[in-house]
Amino acid sequence: MIENDVHARLLAAYDEQLRTDAEASGAINVAVHGPLLLVTFAGGNGFVTYRNLGGADVDAVRQLVTAAIEYYRADTAVTRVEWKTRGHDRTPGLPEALQENGFVPDPPESIMIGEAELLSRPVALPDGVTLRQMTDEADVLAMCAMQAEVFGDPTSDHIAGALLRRLSLDDGMELWVAEADGRIVSAGRLEPVQGTTFAGIWGGATRPEWRGRGIYRALTARRAQSALSMGKTFIHSDSTEFSRPILERSGLVKVSTTTPYRWVRQTPPGD
């Protein structure tokens, strides 16, 4: 019963604090359509968020999806859109409606939440490994290159550029890495959510040869310590099945699942 109460309390905090306005922070435009917020970020990124769909049935859900994609299609500056579904929502027919309208699902992830105090307990690092916060351009570029390598993605100056712009705004985001012999072996981001008691931990990546040695847990603990210094009491993250067990050992609880659906504008042949 106590475990169920904790789960319910954390999930309620997630729904109340981390959806709608919190997900639209930093947007260049937000349009309201029924229960939906149709958010547009710099760089041509659209994002659909909502607290719930107000008990919509299958037909009403399909109409919401159609209206959302028509809105973004009309804005030629938007090249990609994310609709982030949650496993605990009542949204009949939503996956089918999204795919009918050209959205493609990513693998499901676990929504993890925990008390920052529990996560903040120091974890011993292997000899020769140190943690450091990064702010310089060269460091950020090196961190992004490492993360791209670990995730199997192409190196993107766009991602590094976006992080550097965020750092210049001084909005609270922090970039942390673990290093050995001057080489980045693990990295992650801390995202305090304004107007809430939450901070998010994102972008966690550790080189394969350094895994299983407590480095990522130590990086999580250090970010939790920083979150506490900002007055944040909860940590949240969407995690893959690889990182979920690590976060559970650190004290986070799986409260639900999320499956992002992505739409990408198709460029006509010859353009």
Side-chain angles (χ1 to χ4, degrees), residues 34-102:
L36 306 180
L37 293 187
L38 306 178
V39 184
T40 304
F41 293 103
N45 296 302
F47 186 83
V48 181
T49 179
Y50 46 90
R51 183 70 53 82
N52 58 67
L53 295 185
D57 61 15
V58 172
D59 289 338
V61 167
R62 183 177 291 110
Q63 291 171 13
L64 287 171
V65 174
T66 300
I69 199 60
E70 286 178 352
Y71 170 83
Y72 286 115
R73 285 185 192 277
D75 184 352
T76 56
V78 174
T79 58
R80 49 201 173 274
V81 179
E82 178 182 348
W83 186 306
K84 186 175 178 179
T85 68
R86 275 83 169 190
H88 63 285
D89 285 348
R90 183 190 177 280
T91 53
L94 180 58
E96 294 79 6
L98 288 169
Q99 292 179 79
E100 288 169 5
N101 283 276

Side-chain angles (χ1 to χ4, degrees), residues 115-194:
E115 295 185 15
E117 186 67 42
L118 294 177
L119 272 70
S120 68
R121 296 165 185 168
V123 177
L125 286 163
D127 289 343
V129 177
T130 57
L131 303 183
R132 180 163 68 97
Q133 185 180 351
M134 293 201 156
T135 56
D136 293 341
E137 180 176 357
D139 286 339
V140 174
L141 288 169
M143 184 197 77
C144 290
M146 187 281 290
Q147 290 172 315
E149 180 183 338
V150 170
F151 291 136
D153 297 330
T155 301
S156 171
D157 290 341
H158 170 75
I159 294 174
L163 292 175
L164 288 166
R165 284 193 295 274
R166 292 281 308 282
L167 289 172
S168 71
L169 295 173
D170 193 24
D171 63 1
M173 180 194 71
E174 295 181 352
L175 306 176
W176 287 88
V177 299
E179 294 175 304
D181 296 324
R183 183 173 185 243
I184 298 174
V185 298
S186 185
R189 189 169 82 249
L190 177 69
E191 294 265 11
V193 184
Q194 294 182 4

